[in-house]
Amino acid sequence: MKLFILALVLYFQNFFFSLFASFVFIPSFIEFASVYILVLLISKTEYKKSLFLFWQFLYLIHFGFISFFGRIITSSDIYLFFTHIVETYETFIYTLDIFIVPFIITMLIFIIVLNIKIKSTKINVYALLFAFATLLIFMPNKIYDASFLLLKSIASTTTIKSSDIKLEANLTKKLISLKKQDINIVLLIGESMRAKEYQNKEYEIFKNYFYKTIYAGATSTDLSLPLLINGAVKPSEINLSNNIFTLAKENDFKTAFITVQSKKSLKYIKPYLHLEDIESFKLLGSRDDMDLLKEFKKIDLQNQTNFVVMQMQGQHSPYIYYPEYKKSTILEQYNESMDYSNRVISEMIK
């Protein structure tokens, strides 16, 4: 009976969490039966309590992710976590309040697991394994249990081909460069303006200037910026001969790249900038977008034709890089950082 109750607690914490987050949970008999069979299997092991605590830790990871991003975790999120430990830690340390509900749920279940006496089930282990395998066959494609979803994403991550997660240059196709014109071209690259906020709030900058709505090539800067700089739609199509700095140099533009992001943030992007065609490369690392304006004012726009790319800090988590920063909700901090970015862009246009 205790094992059945423990299975209920583990499974229906999904429902409890869904009351506090944008997480849809639809109970399924097959899914719950799978949880129960796993509980019975774990009960037959020597380190049963440790395994139950680890299982609950999987729930904590996924619940925490959903609390921050408002969606379930994917294989690419797991990959980015392990390749961007510093950014992950920085985001986490500034947003601890978001994880209160997942922590409370986990602590309660930890207490339950540590204080109940768990006896091994008398059901044969092979019968349990057969039952679990049968349930997996009939498991619906759409699953809702947070721990199962996380394990599914982890399994997907381990089967990703290296070409899916590593940018590779394809040097076969050659594009014809545009004819040189007596102009200055400035490309100002922002960071993470989410479509949801764009729909919820009409920012002042979009009222004052002509613009076209486009979407980033990827949700990760490490992927979207190389795609943009090299005129590609997907990683396998990246062609360094199409690099935007190369094309500018071929047309006698003086090229420059200025970023306020950190050296670590640029680690995965730098190989795809084609540095040999960038005459002025400045890594400021200040994370203050107004510093881009200061650097921009130093450029001679009168006596030479310039192609300048500037990379902003923008709406990069944890949304603290603006002068008026104060601790508030994630959405409020996001909007404040967005307003600051828009002020910088307006000043740049002037």
Side-chain angles (χ1 to χ4, degrees):
M1 187 63 180
K2 285 182 180 179
L3 294 176
F4 181 77
I5 293 172
L6 181 57
L8 280 174
V9 170
L10 287 170
Y11 187 61
F12 282 98
Q13 67 177 304
N14 290 287
F15 172 74
F16 182 76
F17 175 71
S18 69
L19 300 177
F20 299 91
S22 54
F23 173 61
V24 176
F25 175 67
I26 301 176
S28 159
F29 172 77
I30 293 177
E31 205 169 62
F32 170 70
S34 300
V35 171
Y36 182 45
I37 296 296
L38 278 177
V39 168
L40 294 177
L41 280 167
I42 291 173
S43 75
K44 297 184 78 67
T45 65
E46 184 179 353
Y47 303 103
K48 53 180 74 73
K49 289 203 173 185
S50 296
L51 288 173
F52 283 128
L53 293 177
F54 176 75
W55 189 357
Q56 181 55 39
F57 183 66
L58 296 180
Y59 279 108
L60 173 61
I61 292 172
H62 206 171
F63 286 160
F65 185 90
I66 294 168
S67 297
F68 185 82
F69 290 102
R71 62 174 176 83
I72 63 173
I73 205 165
T74 65
S75 56
S76 60
D77 296 317
I78 296 170
Y79 170 74
L80 289 171
F81 172 83
F82 285 106
T83 55
H84 294 67
I85 294 293
V86 174
E87 288 183 23
T88 302
Y89 172 77
E90 183 182 49
T91 297
F92 176 76
I93 210 69
Y94 279 97
T95 54
L96 284 172
D97 53 324
I98 288 178
F99 306 105
I100 290 175
V101 172
F103 274 128
I104 290 174
I105 294 172
T106 296
M107 288 303 104
L108 288 173
I109 294 179
F110 272 17
I111 291 170
I112 292 171
V113 170
L114 291 171
N115 286 278
I116 63 171
K117 191 173 182 180
I118 302 173
K119 292 183 178 180
S120 174
T121 180
K122 295 179 180 179
I123 303 174
N124 182 275
V125 66
Y126 295 107
L128 290 173
L129 288 171
F130 177 78
F132 186 67
T134 303
L135 288 169
L136 288 180
I137 293 171
F138 293 100
M139 183 77 74
N141 290 329
K142 184 69 174 177
I143 57 177
Y144 294 92
D145 180 81
S147 66
F148 284 1
L149 285 168
L150 179 59
L151 290 170
K152 183 179 179 181
S153 294
I154 291 172
S156 299
T157 307
T158 59
T159 57
I160 288 178
K161 296 178 181 178
S162 60
S163 59
D164 293 332
I165 58 177
K166 181 181 178 182
L167 304 181
E168 295 180 350
N170 177 358
L171 301 175
T172 56
K173 190 178 178 182
K174 178 75 174 177
L175 296 185
I176 300 173
S177 304
L178 295 174
K179 186 178 179 181
K180 178 193 170 186
Q181 299 179 45
D182 188 21
I183 57 174
N184 291 287
I185 299 174
V186 179
L187 175 59
L188 185 62
I189 301 174
E191 176 89 32
S192 300
M193 181 182 179
R194 302 194 308 176
K196 183 179 178 182
E197 273 63 48
Y198 173 77
Q199 293 166 357
N200 290 345
K201 180 178 178 180
E202 188 174 0
Y203 292 98
E204 192 69 28
I205 195 167
F206 298 114
K207 297 177 183 177
N208 298 337
Y209 303 102
F210 171 76
Y211 69 94
K212 286 179 67 177
T213 301
I214 62 171
Y215 296 90
T219 54
S220 163
T221 308
D222 296 347
L223 183 54
S224 61
L225 199 144
L227 290 174
L228 174 65
I229 292 295
N230 295 287
V233 176
K234 54 187 179 180
S236 60
E237 294 179 355
I238 287 181
N239 184 337
L240 293 183
S241 65
N242 298 335
N243 181 272
I244 203 164
F245 292 108
T246 301
L247 298 178
K249 196 78 182 294
E250 288 175 359
N251 283 272
D252 298 323
F253 283 89
K254 187 174 178 60
T255 56
F257 178 80
I258 309 168
T259 178
V260 293
Q261 294 203 16
S262 67
K263 185 177 181 179
K264 288 181 179 178
S265 298
L266 216 63
K267 177 181 177 182
Y268 298 94
I269 298 168
K270 205 170 179 180
Y272 302 94
L273 293 177
H274 219 211
L275 293 181
E276 51 264 47
D277 286 325
I278 302 177
E279 296 172 76
S280 176
F281 181 87
K282 293 186 179 180
L283 200 163
L284 305 179
S286 66
R287 298 190 174 187
D288 186 346
D289 290 335
M290 202 59 78
D291 288 341
L292 289 174
L293 183 61
K294 296 173 185 175
E295 289 295 324
F296 184 54
K297 287 179 178 179
K298 299 176 184 177
I299 298 173
D300 182 4
L301 300 175
Q302 303 299 322
N303 302 308
Q304 61 189 26
T305 55
N306 298 277
F307 176 69
V308 184
V309 177
M310 292 181 286
Q311 184 190 22
M312 305 173 71
Q313 179 66 27
Q315 288 61 63
H316 196 295
S317 64
Y319 318 125
I320 61 172
Y321 302 108
Y322 54 94
E324 303 87 357
Y325 165 70
K326 61 180 180 181
K327 181 67 176 175
S328 57
T329 67
I330 284 294
L331 182 57
E332 288 171 348
Q333 288 178 206
Y334 182 91
N335 285 327
E336 286 293 330
S337 65
M338 187 70 193
D339 287 335
Y340 182 61
S341 293
N342 288 339
R343 292 205 302 274
V344 173
I345 295 169
S346 297
E347 288 298 316
M348 203 78 74
I349 292 172
K350 289 176 186 178

